[in-house]
Amino acid sequence: MGTDGTGVVNDTYEKLLALLDERGAAYRVIEHAPEGATEAVSALRGHALDRAAKCIIAMVKIGKKEKRFALVVVPGDRRIDLGAVKALYGGTYVSFASPEIAEELAGSQSGTILPFAFDERLELIVDPDLLVHDEFFFNAARLDRSLALSAEDYRAIAEPRVERVSTV
């Protein structure tokens, strides 16, 4: 079992690698100093910010009783357009999920959330501009480990809903 770079056992990292290996995905593991901020970790990995996957969990209220959670993935040089996410669901309110809820749903700490939804309560929504590159980069449920993953393999394995959900 791997750790998250702080000594904590991290099953989500192991689950991700097992899934990618099982499906024959083209990816590279990149080891680096522990870092969760998109701009800083992109510099450590040596790529342009628009090739980083920024992964954030949003909570959308639909009416008074229903809540939905979306794992929203946008290029690292963009912000999430919460209004667009709310519109996708016909929601009445949208916000970022609390760190506790986000980490529970993601199975990893903030700054290491994967662009994969392993929890059935999450819908995966990816901005199309992230998928224009041959590969993109993300922290792999660990602060000290990232992956460079084929965008084509990602689409086939993760099966995200592709929607315009970013703004400059």
Side-chain angles (χ1 to χ4, degrees):
M1 293 225 186
T3 67
D4 66 2
T6 62
V8 176
V9 172
N10 191 327
D11 292 333
T12 304
Y13 174 75
E14 303 294 338
K15 184 188 281 189
L16 172 66
L17 293 187
L19 173 65
L20 296 178
D21 289 342
E22 175 186 311
R23 298 289 300 272
Y27 72 91
R28 295 179 286 122
V29 175
I30 302 164
E31 295 185 25
H32 51 75
E35 181 56 63
T38 304
E39 289 187 15
V41 77
S42 293
L44 288 173
R45 294 185 300 228
H47 62 79
L49 203 49
D50 67 341
R51 294 185 65 185
K54 190 185 292 182
C55 307
I56 298 176
I57 297 177
M59 184 274 302
V60 184
K61 286 189 179 176
I62 303 166
K64 293 187 182 201
K65 305 229 182 217
E66 188 180 352
K67 263 189 222 175
R68 301 280 302 277
F69 292 97
L71 171 50
V72 184
V73 184
V74 300
D77 62 343
R78 304 278 184 84
R79 293 191 330 242
I80 290 174
D81 182 345
L82 287 173
V85 174
K86 183 170 95 170
L88 288 177
Y89 288 94
T92 55
Y93 175 79
V94 65
S95 67
F96 296 119
S98 71
E100 297 77 26
I101 290 172
E103 290 176 3
E104 175 193 334
L105 291 170
S108 66
Q109 70 187 84
S110 289
T112 71
I113 293 174
L114 299 173
F116 288 83
F118 289 126
D119 189 304
E120 73 255 349
R121 296 172 290 176
L122 280 177
E123 180 178 14
L124 176 59
I125 303 172
V126 178
D127 193 272
D129 288 346
L130 181 65
L131 303 174
V132 299
H133 304 288
D134 290 342
E135 66 178 5
F136 64 93
F137 300 80
F138 57 91
N139 271 19
R142 297 172 54 147
L143 290 172
D144 65 345
R145 222 36 81 79
S146 291
L147 291 188
L149 176 62
S150 155
E152 183 180 334
D153 288 344
Y154 171 70
R155 280 186 88 145
I157 296 167
E159 300 178 344
R161 178 176 178 181
V162 179
E163 299 281 356
R164 176 97 29 223
V165 287
S166 71
T167 186
V168 177

